[in-house]
Amino acid sequence: MTAITAASPPARSRTGVNRRQLVGLLYVLPAVALVTVFFVIPLGMTAWMSLHNWPLMGEHAFIGLDNYFAILRDTRFWNALKFTFYYTVMVTIAIFAVAFPLAIFIEKPRPLTNFYRTAFFMPAVVGFASASLLWSWLLNVDSGLFSPAAYDLGLTEKKVNLLATFQPAFWSIIAMVVWKVAGFTMVILMTGLQSIPQDLQEAAVIDGAGPFARFRAITLPLMRRTLALALILSVAGSILAFDQFYIILRGGPRNQTLTAVYWIFNQSFVSFKLGYGAALSMVLLVILVALSLIQLWLLRKPEGLD
């Protein structure tokens, strides 16, 4: 009996643990409430709508998986998804090609470092809609900046409409997104660079390792988690791209820049097929989650690396 009593935790200790758990739960409750209200419930409603013929006006009818079967025959959606993947690959490469050198440049203290950090990051505080409106003016063939300036400087024989054909329009969008996002990615990568112990870099220099060898053997392996975060944010944002294509191009020229989200918007709020738009959203969500898991697996931390 004495042994059992000794093994049992004191009532006071259990009360203290329960109180700490209750306090922890109270701290977490606001976040749980926000996630439930703004993610879990809308996600459940979207999944439920995707199983219905849900017009904007009138009664909705349960149709099971018919909307998902219709997606298999929707060539416009698959073309939009194909373009979205192409855009995602190109813009992600462009963002990292700009953000990584900028992160290396501003990582170490030097004269005007704070100014450079602020200047490079400044476009990230501009909303995508505002940035799209700004670049819509800059790219205007008559009243904008780029085409008239190139013509006035004698670089072109006439004012060139950069939005009239696919390639100039596509790369103009890439330039706008890189200008807008590269500073944000730069800050993420800079934090990863600053977390690398300086002793490792100094030891590698003493051993005769050059800049490229140090970058390949030390910097990249120790930045796997930072790279994974930056890559997932970039890919997710690119797959969900909508504002720039809607405001600047309206899906043109000749519907060649229709993204997956643009097509979902078109089906939901132009054709008013809310049930079908919900099904398209669920498919895109599954694709996005799968891609994120693949990226985490590819950039997972190697065993034995602390």
Side-chain angles (χ1 to χ4, degrees):
M1 187 68 180
T2 303
I4 296 176
T5 304
S8 300
R12 187 174 182 179
S13 177
R14 288 199 301 267
T15 303
V17 171
N18 292 336
R19 185 176 298 143
R20 286 197 299 271
Q21 292 175 344
L22 179 60
V23 172
L25 180 61
L26 290 176
Y27 279 120
V28 172
L29 274 179
V32 173
L34 288 174
V35 171
T36 301
V37 172
F38 293 106
F39 179 75
V40 177
I41 293 177
L43 180 61
M45 292 178 63
T46 302
W48 177 248
M49 287 178 64
S50 70
L51 302 176
H52 291 73
N53 178 15
W54 200 300
L56 182 65
M57 305 292 292
E59 296 292 329
H60 53 269
F62 182 81
I63 57 174
L65 298 177
D66 287 358
N67 283 325
Y68 293 95
F69 291 133
I71 293 175
L72 298 176
R73 304 186 298 271
D74 190 348
T75 56
R76 294 289 290 274
F77 172 69
W78 295 110
N79 288 335
L81 196 61
K82 179 181 177 182
F83 169 74
T84 302
F85 285 149
Y86 173 68
Y87 164 76
T88 299
V89 172
M90 293 295 104
V91 78
T92 300
I93 293 174
I95 289 172
F96 275 80
V98 173
F100 222 131
L102 290 179
I104 295 173
F105 175 70
I106 67 170
E107 183 238 338
K108 297 186 182 302
R110 55 168 56 89
L112 298 178
T113 296
N114 291 332
F115 169 77
Y116 291 133
R117 291 176 179 176
T118 303
F120 296 152
F121 181 76
M122 190 66 71
V125 304
V126 181
F128 252 112
S130 301
S132 299
L133 288 172
L134 172 63
W135 278 71
S136 180
W137 166 73
L138 292 173
L139 294 168
N140 188 280
V141 64
D142 296 316
S143 60
L145 175 64
F146 298 145
S147 291
Y151 174 72
D152 293 339
L153 293 173
L155 301 177
T156 58
E157 296 180 357
K158 60 179 181 179
K159 294 181 180 179
V160 179
N161 187 354
L162 296 173
L163 306 180
T165 55
F166 173 76
Q167 288 296 338
F170 177 77
W171 290 108
S172 296
I173 295 294
I174 295 291
M176 188 275 284
V177 175
V178 171
W179 170 82
K180 167 74 176 67
V181 178
F184 178 74
T185 305
M186 172 199 73
V187 171
I188 296 176
L189 297 176
M190 182 187 68
T191 59
L193 289 171
Q194 291 178 338
S195 66
I196 298 175
Q198 191 63 29
D199 295 343
L200 292 177
Q201 299 284 6
E202 294 174 355
V205 172
I206 294 174
D207 291 339
F212 179 76
R214 296 199 305 271
F215 181 79
R216 179 181 57 82
I218 297 176
T219 303
L220 285 181
L222 294 178
M223 286 187 63
R224 283 180 178 270
R225 291 179 177 175
T226 305
L227 288 171
L229 173 62
L231 187 61
I232 288 174
L233 291 176
S234 178
V235 170
S238 302
I239 289 178
L240 299 177
F242 170 73
D243 300 51
Q244 58 270 38
F245 292 101
Y246 178 73
I247 294 174
I248 299 177
L249 298 176
R250 296 281 177 172
R254 296 186 298 276
N255 293 327
Q256 292 178 294
T257 57
L258 280 176
T259 63
V261 174
Y262 198 137
W263 185 242
I264 293 173
F265 168 83
N266 182 280
Q267 294 299 294
S268 299
F269 303 110
V270 177
S271 300
F272 300 120
K273 301 176 182 177
L274 300 182
Y276 185 62
L280 290 171
S281 300
M282 295 303 297
V283 170
L284 188 61
L285 174 63
V286 171
I287 293 173
L288 190 57
V289 171
L291 287 175
S292 299
L293 292 175
I294 291 173
Q295 291 173 81
L296 287 174
W297 179 78
L298 292 174
L299 292 172
R300 68 191 186 281
K301 192 174 182 181
E303 293 184 4
L305 182 61
D306 296 328

